[in-house]
């Protein structure tokens, strides 16, 4: 139940025990995960503390809770609670915010965090919390970053059921981050926009697998997984992985043409890789080649950027043909009343 601060040669500099907050007057303080920013502020996840991530200053004093996961009740649940007595409400199951499972602070003092899935909602298990305590993670990919997107609901005797159980998160380069799922022993890697780049790992005892991952970290471009058995599995990028990482880096640094060329190489390695089509589409979108961009976004199933390209393509057509469109509208405005009053305007020859 304490935090120990040590030097690099493992000499104890300080220890921090209790947190002076109302929450821990009735609840035992049990810190389980910690990360520290550049100002030596400590961000702590405590067991059974649902108020959020605890922020402590460098001397261990309590500052605040950040990244609070609020509970949202449905209108039916709110109405039901309003109609109940206090005794009936006391018997109801408590709605508690999802507790965090791990965290890491980046060089901009943003917190990358993982949390347990909520009931009927597994799309908020990965968060990027800014200094104001707000989740600002970008989720514009084909699916929200959440580990497995398809799974069996309810207990099943043949397959592992339920959403991923994310227990750690690691920050790579150029906006890339990876999360560790200990339920199915997989590592999911995403870019800064929430696109799934690749999945590593599997459950087993072979040299390239791990049975129960408990920690995840980057060492240069390699991913290191600590297994519960005490072994460390190292995943080194393949040719495909290196190409994907380099393309993401080029795009992240504004070298869009070079990134598009590398995405073409990636498509030669895997013609079904949707992220590559979207990368090429973004390059054409910046150049104003909206038809080419739309074609690539369609292959990449990216509705968000396809809509942007379509909107620009439509505006381009309207701008290019504005004169003809304007003249057509004028002719139409004049023609309608003329057509309606044609009998008055154009008399029959017999009536002359």
């Amino acid at each position: 139940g304490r935090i120990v601060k040590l030097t690099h040669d493992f000499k104890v500099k300080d220890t921090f025990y209790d947190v002076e907050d109302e929450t821990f007057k009735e609840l035992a303080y049990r810190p389980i995960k910690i990360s520290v920013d550049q100002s030596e502020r400590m961000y702590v996840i405590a067991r059974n503390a649902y108020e959020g991530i605890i922020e402590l200053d460098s001397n261990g004093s309590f500052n605040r809770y950040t990244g609070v996961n609020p509970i949202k009740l449905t209108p039916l649940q709110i109405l039901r609670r309003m109609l109940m007595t206090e005794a009936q409400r006391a018997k109801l199951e408590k709605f508690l915010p999802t507790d965090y499972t791990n965290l890491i602070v980046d060089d901009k003092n943003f917190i990358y965090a993982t949390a347990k899935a909520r009931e009927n909602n597994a799309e908020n298990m990965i968060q990027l919390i800014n200094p104001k305590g707000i989740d600002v993670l970008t989720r514009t990919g084909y699916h929200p970053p959440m580990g497995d997107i398809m799974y069996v609901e309810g207990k099943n005797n043949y397959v592992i059921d339920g959403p991923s159980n994310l227990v750690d998160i690691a920050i790579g380069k150029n906006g890339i981050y990876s999360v560790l799922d200990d339920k199915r022993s997989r590592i999911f890697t995403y870019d800064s926009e929430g696109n799934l780049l690749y999945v590593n790992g599997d459950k087993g005892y072979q040299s390239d697998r791990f049975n129960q991952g408990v920690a995840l970290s980057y060492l240069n471009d390699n991913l290191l997984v600590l297994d519960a058995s005490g072994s460390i599995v190292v995943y080194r990028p393949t040719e495909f992985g290196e190409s994907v990482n380099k393309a993401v880096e080029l795009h992240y640094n504004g070298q869009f043409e070079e990134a598009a060329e590398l995405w073409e190489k990636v498509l030669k390695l895997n013609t079904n890789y949707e992220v590559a089509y979207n990368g090429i589409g973004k390059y054409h979108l910046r150049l104003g080649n909206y038809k080419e961009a739309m074609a690539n976004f369609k292959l990449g199933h990216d509705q968000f950027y396809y809509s942007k390209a379509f909107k620009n393509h439509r505006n381009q057509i309207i701008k290019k043909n504005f004169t003809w469109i304007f003249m057509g509208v004028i002719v139409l405005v004049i023609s309608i009343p003329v057509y309606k009053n044609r009998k008055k305007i154009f008399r029959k020859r017999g009536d002359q």
Side-chain angles (χ1 to χ4, degrees):
R2 65 176 182 171
I3 296 169
V4 183
K5 183 177 180 180
L6 307 101
T7 63
H8 287 286
D9 54 356
F10 307 110
K11 292 180 180 179
V12 176
K13 289 190 67 177
D14 209 341
T15 54
F16 310 105
Y17 288 89
D18 299 321
V19 170
E20 295 182 3
D21 182 68
E22 294 292 329
T23 302
F24 299 105
K25 288 185 177 180
E26 298 180 358
L27 176 69
Y29 175 57
R30 291 290 182 268
I32 54 175
K33 301 293 179 181
I34 184 172
S35 188
V36 184
D37 67 12
Q38 294 177 338
S39 301
E40 295 192 5
R41 283 188 295 259
M42 295 172 278
Y43 297 90
V44 182
I45 296 172
R47 184 176 284 115
N48 299 324
Y50 298 100
E51 285 76 10
I53 297 169
I54 303 166
E55 181 185 303
L56 307 175
D57 61 23
S58 58
N59 61 11
S61 299
F62 176 78
N63 285 340
R64 60 168 181 162
Y65 289 101
T66 186
V68 179
N69 272 326
I71 285 293
K72 294 182 180 179
L73 299 179
T74 64
L76 184 61
Q77 289 171 328
I78 295 172
L79 178 62
R80 183 186 175 191
R81 285 173 170 267
M82 289 174 61
L83 298 175
M84 286 182 174
T85 64
E86 289 187 11
Q88 289 174 324
R89 284 197 291 266
K91 294 180 181 179
L92 287 175
E93 181 182 357
K94 291 183 178 180
F95 287 87
L96 297 174
T98 302
D99 53 330
Y100 289 98
T101 58
N102 221 319
L103 77 165
I104 186 170
V105 181
D106 68 5
D107 55 2
K108 297 179 181 178
N109 292 340
F110 281 65
I111 303 171
Y112 284 82
T114 53
K116 292 181 180 178
R118 298 181 185 179
E119 186 178 357
N120 301 322
N121 183 10
E123 297 184 1
N124 204 35
M125 293 192 294
I126 304 172
Q127 298 185 25
L128 176 58
I129 303 165
N130 67 11
K132 293 183 178 180
I134 301 171
D135 177 20
V136 293
L137 186 73
T138 304
R139 299 177 174 90
T140 56
Y142 187 43
H143 290 285
M146 53 180 284
D148 280 300
I149 58 173
M150 297 184 68
Y151 46 84
V152 176
E153 291 281 7
K155 291 185 178 180
N156 191 288
N157 295 327
Y158 303 100
V159 296
I160 301 173
D161 65 318
S164 297
N165 184 37
L166 305 180
V167 297
D168 201 0
I169 185 166
I171 305 173
K173 302 173 182 176
N174 309 303
I176 292 176
Y177 59 92
S178 299
V179 292
L180 175 63
D181 174 20
D182 76 341
K183 181 178 284 189
R184 299 178 181 86
S185 299
R186 294 176 182 170
I187 307 166
F188 298 85
T189 299
Y190 300 90
D191 67 9
S192 59
E193 295 188 353
N195 296 298
L196 178 63
L197 300 179
Y198 40 79
V199 183
N200 300 98
D202 201 357
K203 187 177 288 290
Y205 294 95
Q206 293 90 336
S207 60
D208 62 336
R209 301 183 179 188
F210 54 95
N211 192 46
Q212 185 183 357
V214 294
L216 178 70
S217 184
Y218 272 95
L219 180 61
N220 298 322
D221 291 329
N222 297 336
L223 274 168
L224 279 62
V225 182
L226 174 64
D227 191 63
S229 64
S231 62
I232 296 177
V233 181
V234 181
Y235 288 96
R236 180 171 54 84
T238 61
E239 180 187 358
F240 175 80
E242 287 180 347
S243 299
V244 169
N245 290 346
K246 185 63 178 178
V248 171
E249 177 187 348
L250 291 170
H251 181 85
Y252 190 82
N253 293 325
Q255 298 173 265
F256 305 111
E257 184 175 0
E258 294 85 348
E261 292 174 358
L262 197 50
W263 284 128
E264 292 284 0
K265 178 185 175 182
V266 171
L267 286 175
K268 293 179 181 178
L269 298 171
N270 182 358
T271 55
N272 295 318
Y273 193 61
E274 297 171 350
V275 178
Y277 288 113
N278 294 334
I280 297 169
K282 290 172 186 175
Y283 169 64
H284 285 294
L285 180 62
R286 287 180 173 275
L287 289 181
N289 302 329
Y290 302 123
K291 289 186 69 175
E292 291 83 352
M294 288 165 59
N296 280 281
F297 291 139
K298 185 176 181 179
L299 291 170
H301 299 94
D302 193 320
Q303 297 181 3
F304 177 79
Y305 279 103
Y306 181 90
S307 298
K308 293 185 70 172
F310 176 79
K311 181 180 179 180
N312 284 308
H313 179 57
R314 180 190 60 197
N315 293 340
Q316 190 180 56
I317 292 174
I318 293 173
K319 186 176 181 180
K320 185 177 180 180
N321 299 281
F322 178 78
T323 302
W324 294 105
I325 294 171
F326 181 76
M327 291 177 63
V329 170
I330 295 298
V331 170
L332 190 63
V333 169
I334 295 172
S335 300
I336 290 174
V338 170
Y339 178 78
K340 287 182 178 179
N341 298 283
R342 63 188 183 280
K343 291 183 179 180
K344 295 179 181 180
I345 297 174
F346 303 103
R347 295 179 181 179
K348 294 182 179 179
R349 290 185 179 182
D351 296 336
Q352 293 179 351

